[in-house]
Amino acid sequence: MKPKIYNVLLLLSFQFGYLEWGTNQHQFVFQAQFEIITKAFSNFMSVVHPFTVLPFLGECLLVLTLFQKNAHRKLTMTGVFLLGFFMLLLLLIGLASLKIKIILSVLPFWIVFYLIWKNKTLINE
């Protein structure tokens, strides 16, 4: 597979991470991002937090690689690690609370991550 396809798969699999908290409160990452972006226009400082900023930067880096002629490995891996930080947190929460929906929602991201890590030669330096 081409490196850009891996990056698209990473971005898509990240969007379907499942968040669940409290009593009957749950969202996918893409829903939470929409809320964060809409809140940022009215009160920017209310959305500035490491758990919102770091994944957003990771997404920006991966989107940037889609517009490059050759997806650079350093940009891709930096983006993956920034997204992976959040997805690892979701995985740990899912495992600690035994929430199967959360665990299953992060597996596609980690499978694509593994494929990228395993096939290092597919992504240019």
Side-chain angles (χ1 to χ4, degrees), residues 58-73:
E59 285 181 304
C60 290
L61 288 176
L62 289 177
V63 168
L64 178 67
T65 64
L66 298 177
F67 294 105
Q68 294 177 328
K69 186 175 182 178
N70 294 318
H72 293 283
R73 180 166 178 73

Side-chain angles (χ1 to χ4, degrees), residues 13-65:
S13 63
F14 177 75
Q15 296 303 316
F16 290 100
Y18 186 72
L19 309 161
E20 189 174 323
W21 67 98
T23 305
N24 200 22
Q25 295 196 25
H26 49 87
Q27 286 183 320
F28 287 101
V29 169
F30 71 88
Q31 293 169 315
Q33 282 183 330
F34 180 76
E35 279 187 32
I36 289 168
I37 290 169
T38 55
K39 284 182 184 178
F41 287 114
S42 61
N43 186 2
F44 181 73
M45 291 309 292
S46 70
V47 298
V48 177
H49 188 276
F51 292 129
T52 59
V53 174
L54 293 178
F56 180 72
L57 289 175
E59 285 181 304
C60 290
L61 288 176
L62 289 177
V63 168
L64 178 67
T65 64

